[in-house]
Amino acid sequence: MSIGLILLIIVGLLVAFGVAQRVLDRLRLTDRQALLFVGLLFVGGLIPDIPITPLLSVNIGGALVPLGLCVYLLVKGGSAKEVVRALLASVITGVAIHLVGEWMPSEPEQIVIDPNYLFGLIGGAVAYLFGRSRRGAFVAGVLGSLIAAFWDAIEVWNQGVQQTLSLGGAGLLDTIVISGLVAVLLAELVGEIIERM
């Protein structure tokens, strides 16, 4: 079982026991909505990818459900300013993840940490810095991960390599879950520290 699915189980348990109530309130999600999305991410991540074209397939839990959750949060988010900020932060996060991927060694033996985990951590930190609100940070972490994956695929295709992009599959679910969680946790932690000061 991947780290992303394990984290989803942990998040589901935290939500079920009421531990994450404050964070959910800030995201404008109820316990039921959060559990529904966690369940959809988990189950959707286990379903095989859906082929769209010979070079593109989509994973329900790793791409469609996170994208739907981001759209939901942006619609519920309120001001147009916050939506624009979250979308700009998503692009910046996508660029940051892509650049980290470019700088990583190409030989697997030289890679110290799983790239999906590193992309998730970097994506979450950048998403927090530019997303600012908890909602904006979460959206930027998730959408930024999807943007980076799509950008990488376009670069590969432009080099003439006929490699299929599994949007949301092949470890991207781990990156998306880690990135979104790190962004929200940083926003919550820093927000709590600022409120106490």
Side-chain angles (χ1 to χ4, degrees):
M1 185 177 291
S2 74
I3 190 75
L5 295 178
I6 293 168
L7 288 173
L8 285 175
I9 292 170
I10 293 169
V11 168
L13 290 172
L14 291 175
V15 170
F17 290 117
V19 177
Q21 188 59 51
R22 180 183 164 110
V23 175
L24 293 176
D25 289 343
R26 298 279 170 92
L27 289 173
R28 302 216 177 141
L29 286 171
T30 65
D31 289 353
R32 285 184 181 180
Q33 290 169 331
L35 286 172
L36 173 67
F37 277 114
V38 167
L40 289 173
L41 284 165
F42 187 87
V43 172
L46 299 174
I47 296 172
D49 295 349
I50 299 168
I52 305 297
T53 71
L55 294 179
L56 176 65
S57 64
V58 177
N59 184 278
I60 293 172
L64 296 181
V65 174
L67 186 59
L69 177 56
C70 288
V71 169
Y72 175 80
L73 291 175
L74 288 174
V75 168
K76 292 273 283 193
S79 71
K81 181 179 178 182
E82 184 175 6
V83 171
V84 169
R85 186 172 53 224
L87 293 176
L88 285 174
S90 300
V91 172
I92 293 167
T93 302
V95 169
I97 293 171
H98 176 76
L99 290 176
V100 168
E102 291 285 315
W103 294 330
M104 287 191 72
S106 57
E107 296 297 323
E109 299 84 24
Q110 297 175 342
I111 298 174
V112 178
I113 183 173
D114 185 313
N116 293 317
Y117 304 162
L118 180 62
F119 297 156
L121 294 171
I122 298 291
V126 172
Y128 161 69
L129 290 174
F130 292 96
R132 297 181 61 189
S133 71
R134 288 156 183 87
R135 242 181 339 271
F138 179 83
V139 168
V142 171
L143 290 183
S145 299
L146 290 169
I147 289 169
F150 204 70
W151 184 356
D152 291 342
I154 290 171
E155 279 196 349
V156 168
W157 295 336
N158 284 338
Q159 294 169 2
V161 178
Q162 300 297 306
Q163 178 179 333
T164 301
L165 166 63
S166 173
L167 194 58
L172 187 57
L173 176 62
D174 291 345
T175 300
I176 288 171
V177 170
I178 293 169
S179 185
L181 287 177
V182 167
V184 169
L185 290 175
L186 282 174
E188 184 64 26
L189 180 66
V190 173
E192 189 68 28
I193 290 169
I194 290 172
E195 284 177 17
R196 290 182 187 271
M197 292 174 66

